[in-house]
Amino acid sequence: MPIIIGGLEASLRRFAHYDYWDNKIRRSILVDSRADILTYGMGENIILRIAKLLDKGVPIKKIRAERGCVYLCKPEDEVHFQVACELDYNKIKEDKREYARAFGIQYKNQDAINGKAIVEYYDNKKLVQNPPAFPLEREELDKVYALPYMRTYHLSYEAKGGVAAISEVKFSLTHNRGCFGGCNFCALAFHQGRSVRSRSIESVVSEAKIITEMKDFKGYIHDVGGPTANFRYPACKKQLEDGVCTTRKCLAPTPCPNLEVDHSEYIELLKRIEELPKVKKVFIRSGIRFDYMIYDKSDEFFRKLVRDHVSGQLKVAPEHCSSGVLKYMGKPDVKVYDKFREKYFALCKEYGLEQYLVPYLMSSHPGSTPCDAVELALYLKDLGLNPEQVQDFYPTPGTASTVMYYTGINPLDGKEVYCPTDYREKLMQRALLQYRRPENRNLVREALILAGREDLIGFGNNCLVKPDMRAGSEYQRETVANNKNTPKRAPSKKNSSNDTQKSKSNQKNLKNTPKNAKKSPKNQVKLQGTKKMQSTPKNRHSLGKNKKTGR
């Protein structure tokens, strides 16, 4: 019985790859699984082609010339496509620079037009990745999405209470595939590719009609998106002829001169769905590429998005504010996000809408130093943001950022890069994004000291966190020492005489007070205030433990 593996997880592990949990380089999953063939990418056409060959009686071991396939053979066997390079697993697992070089070559050969075959040796076996399969064109995508899907989780999950995540996608529509955004921490380029394809408007509208007939549909389409919601076509016409560029990205750090920005068809698609009888509202909840919107000379889509398609808050992904970190992320400069943010709120004000932006933020990405993390915290403080959720970078197979994390080398240019791999530092960088939280205060202080920014520890408006005032802390010890060294002023004779007379008067009043008499609230407050004023400097700065936090 032939064994064929595929899907996202197999696709991202088709070569030797770094595994975070094992903290080492693992072999291709095809080698470890002992399957016959691995299909990578979106494999609808690939699996059909393999099935037809098997149906004709072709042995599985003879299927060697199909695009989008990875197979094992003898070292002397012929490869049916031009080979970009030959790699060796034993060298890759021992030499980090060789691993970074290998990934760089793999990344540059993931386009169906200009990609070549890649060979990776495993002792007495040869692993061959054939060039990628060509992406499905519009008519083919329409056929895939016209199939009679059940539109819910498998019935076997009912006994376990179902799958809660289905609510996020049950009334959502996917209209495209692929992404030319090229973020280094994203595995889309290694799986779906960087050349965008989309479904026809008629295909998406037909699916929307099916959704409106579902019994629990309330009139709201939750999302009309995909890997990136506002992409409908390849970045430029050149990609259709020569494939995607291997030496630069389409959007970052600056937009390519050949980039074609056009939202007109996406606007038409949204309008067509809005016209359906049972649809009350169509939302776009995530996946908007804000830099692509800013580069659009027309603001028609921007206005329509703000006016018609935001469900109270819009999620976008600036990820960071440091130029150095954004460069390693493959994202545009933060000034682009600032321009988007200002226009977004200006339009909200123009339309009289109270709507919000929810930025996706990431801590401890390769290239992020402690100083960069502090810079991001200060940026959030300036904007008045207090994020509820943040993401700490953890490596996953199939991304350039993962290679940076493991090797300390950028696989796209071969240069060394700082990587926060220490667990304690990762905790500190994450805590800085939520520096207002009481449970993060100690980590924030530690991070600021590590970054040499003790000036941000204090009581000023520019500070991120107050000093540690608990008993035994360095701040408390310094305060006590300073108070001891401060010379005390001797009271004047006049004041001393008055204080003595007041004391005798208070004692006389207390003696004349009946034992069962109740003290007035005014007297209670006065006595409490007197007691507080008599506390020592040590007690004044020792707050003790908070009953809620234990600190």
Side-chain angles (χ1 to χ4, degrees):
M1 176 65 68
I3 299 176
I4 304 168
I5 59 174
L8 178 63
E9 298 300 333
S11 185
L12 299 183
R13 293 166 172 81
R14 59 188 182 268
F15 293 110
H17 57 278
Y18 172 71
D19 185 89
Y20 174 72
W21 299 110
D22 290 343
N23 192 30
K24 68 177 184 181
I25 300 295
R26 294 196 60 167
R27 301 185 299 182
S28 164
I29 196 170
L30 180 62
V31 177
D32 286 344
S33 67
R34 300 182 182 181
D36 295 301
I37 287 182
L38 182 153
T39 64
Y40 69 93
M42 305 299 286
E44 295 96 344
N45 281 348
I46 308 166
I47 201 68
L48 285 175
R49 178 64 180 162
I50 293 174
K52 288 177 180 179
L53 290 172
L54 291 173
D55 192 49
K56 290 180 179 180
V58 178
I60 191 71
K61 296 296 183 182
K62 295 292 184 179
I63 300 177
R64 296 287 183 264
E66 301 304 316
R67 284 175 169 268
C69 290
V70 184
Y71 62 89
L72 288 168
C73 61
K74 296 177 181 179
E76 63 270 17
D77 286 353
E78 179 186 1
V79 178
H80 294 269
F81 297 90
Q82 183 180 353
V83 177
C85 72
E86 295 185 343
L87 306 168
D88 190 296
Y89 168 72
N90 291 322
K91 292 181 180 179
I92 289 173
K93 72 176 182 180
E94 298 295 338
D95 186 345
K96 290 184 177 181
R97 184 162 290 279
E98 178 65 12
Y99 174 52
R101 186 184 77 87
F103 182 88
I105 295 170
Q106 295 159 8
Y107 184 87
K108 293 174 182 177
N109 285 276
Q110 294 311 309
D111 183 77
I113 295 177
N114 55 37
K116 299 179 177 65
I118 296 175
V119 169
E120 197 170 80
Y121 288 98
Y122 289 85
D123 297 328
N124 61 343
K125 294 181 180 179
K126 180 166 70 174
L127 179 142
V128 180
Q129 177 200 267
N130 288 339
F134 287 94
L136 270 62
E137 298 300 338
R138 179 161 289 188
E139 295 76 12
E140 295 174 300
L141 273 176
D142 288 354
K143 289 180 180 179
V144 169
Y145 280 91
L147 294 172
Y149 299 102
M150 294 299 294
R151 311 197 67 82
T152 188
Y153 49 79
H154 194 272
L155 291 175
S156 62
Y157 290 99
E158 285 290 352
K160 300 177 181 179
V163 178
I166 194 69
S167 61
E168 289 295 316
V169 297
K170 191 172 185 179
F171 306 118
S172 298
L173 296 160
T174 299
H175 71 90
N176 62 9
R177 178 179 287 185
C179 179
F180 54 78
C183 299
N184 287 337
F185 51 80
C186 179
L188 270 167
F190 220 61
H191 183 61
Q192 290 191 1
R194 292 165 55 199
S195 188
V196 172
R197 297 294 187 274
S198 59
R199 300 164 60 188
S200 67
I201 291 177
E202 290 72 20
S203 170
V204 182
V205 172
S206 295
E207 185 181 357
K209 289 179 180 177
I210 295 173
I211 289 178
T212 63
E213 299 300 325
M214 297 172 70
K215 62 179 181 180
D216 48 351
F217 179 68
K218 305 297 183 182
Y220 300 97
I221 300 293
H222 290 171
D223 206 356
V224 182
T228 297
N230 50 327
F231 290 172
R232 290 284 291 170
Y233 289 100
C236 65
K237 291 183 175 63
K238 179 178 177 292
Q239 289 187 356
L240 295 173
E241 299 175 1
D242 304 324
V244 298
C245 297
T246 59
T247 56
R248 74 152 297 156
K249 296 179 183 293
C250 302
L251 292 170
T254 57
C256 174
N258 294 321
L259 178 68
E260 298 177 6
V261 183
D262 185 2
H263 287 97
S264 58
E265 191 177 70
Y266 190 35
I267 294 172
E268 183 183 352
L269 170 62
L270 294 169
K271 288 180 178 179
R272 289 280 300 276
I273 298 172
E274 287 175 312
E275 291 171 356
L276 294 176
K278 296 183 180 181
V279 173
K280 298 177 183 177
K281 198 78 172 175
V282 177
F283 293 121
I284 304 171
R285 298 176 65 179
S286 63
I288 287 289
R289 189 77 191 208
F290 63 83
D291 47 349
Y292 187 73
M293 286 180 60
I294 287 295
Y295 302 143
D296 193 345
K297 295 179 181 179
S298 169
D299 67 349
E300 183 182 0
F301 174 67
F302 208 142
R303 288 181 171 275
K304 180 166 177 55
L305 171 69
V306 172
R307 185 181 62 243
D308 301 329
H309 303 293
V310 178
S311 59
Q313 58 186 27
L314 180 67
K315 297 176 182 178
V316 290
E319 301 295 355
H320 216 281
C321 71
S322 167
S323 297
V325 179
L326 290 169
K327 178 185 72 173
Y328 290 115
M329 287 181 166
K331 302 284 287 185
D333 193 82
V334 72
K335 292 179 182 178
V336 180
Y337 172 69
D338 288 337
K339 186 176 180 180
F340 170 84
R341 177 176 53 82
E342 291 167 4
K343 186 169 183 177
Y344 174 82
F345 286 118
L347 289 175
C348 287
K349 184 177 181 181
E350 180 180 332
Y351 293 124
L353 299 170
E354 185 178 352
Q355 297 179 156
Y356 303 92
L357 272 180
V358 178
Y360 290 130
L361 301 168
M362 186 183 296
S363 61
S364 63
H365 184 275
S368 177
T369 66
C371 292
D372 292 320
V374 173
E375 182 181 346
L376 180 55
L378 291 172
Y379 178 76
L380 297 176
K381 181 178 175 63
D382 290 341
L383 294 182
L385 289 176
N386 185 19
E388 293 183 3
Q389 294 181 337
V390 295
Q391 180 182 359
D392 190 35
F393 173 78
Y394 279 92
T396 55
T399 71
S401 297
T402 292
V403 180
M404 294 182 211
Y405 175 91
Y406 174 67
T407 65
I409 299 168
N410 185 350
L412 304 182
D413 61 16
K415 297 179 180 179
E416 294 186 358
V417 53
Y418 173 83
C419 293
T421 58
D422 178 74
Y423 180 68
R424 187 70 179 176
E425 183 182 345
K426 287 174 71 67
L427 287 177
M428 287 188 280
Q429 290 209 22
R430 178 168 182 148
L432 279 167
L433 297 186
Q434 298 173 317
Y435 65 88
R436 289 182 174 91
R437 293 192 173 187
E439 63 268 26
N440 288 341
R441 288 171 184 165
N442 288 337
L443 283 169
V444 171
R445 294 186 195 100
E446 188 178 345
L448 293 173
I449 293 171
L450 179 65
R453 295 302 307 271
E454 291 92 333
D455 58 301
L456 298 176
I457 304 174
F459 299 96
N461 292 332
N462 64 320
C463 294
L464 293 177
V465 67
K466 294 179 180 179
D468 186 358
M469 297 186 294
R470 295 173 299 175
S473 68
E474 182 178 354
Y475 177 82
Q476 189 267 346
R477 291 194 299 270
E478 290 179 358
T479 303
V480 172
N482 290 336
N483 287 336
K484 286 182 178 179
N485 296 330
T486 303
K488 296 181 180 180
R489 181 185 299 175
S492 64
K493 293 183 179 180
K494 183 178 179 181
N495 290 339
S496 178
S497 176
N498 290 339
D499 289 345
T500 303
Q501 291 177 6
K502 288 180 181 179
S503 178
K504 289 181 179 180
S505 176
N506 288 337
Q507 290 176 9
K508 184 177 179 180
N509 290 335
L510 288 173
K511 287 180 180 180
N512 294 331
T513 302
K515 292 183 179 180
N516 59 352
K518 294 183 178 179
K519 298 175 183 177
S520 67
K522 184 177 180 180
N523 286 337
Q524 289 181 16
V525 173
K526 186 174 181 180
L527 287 172
Q528 290 172 3
T530 304
K531 185 176 181 181
K532 183 177 180 180
M533 291 300 293
Q534 292 174 350
S535 62
T536 63
K538 181 177 181 181
N539 289 332
R540 187 167 71 244
H541 295 285
S542 176
L543 300 181
K545 288 188 176 181
N546 186 298
K547 291 182 179 179
K548 292 184 179 180
T549 63
R551 298 180 180 275

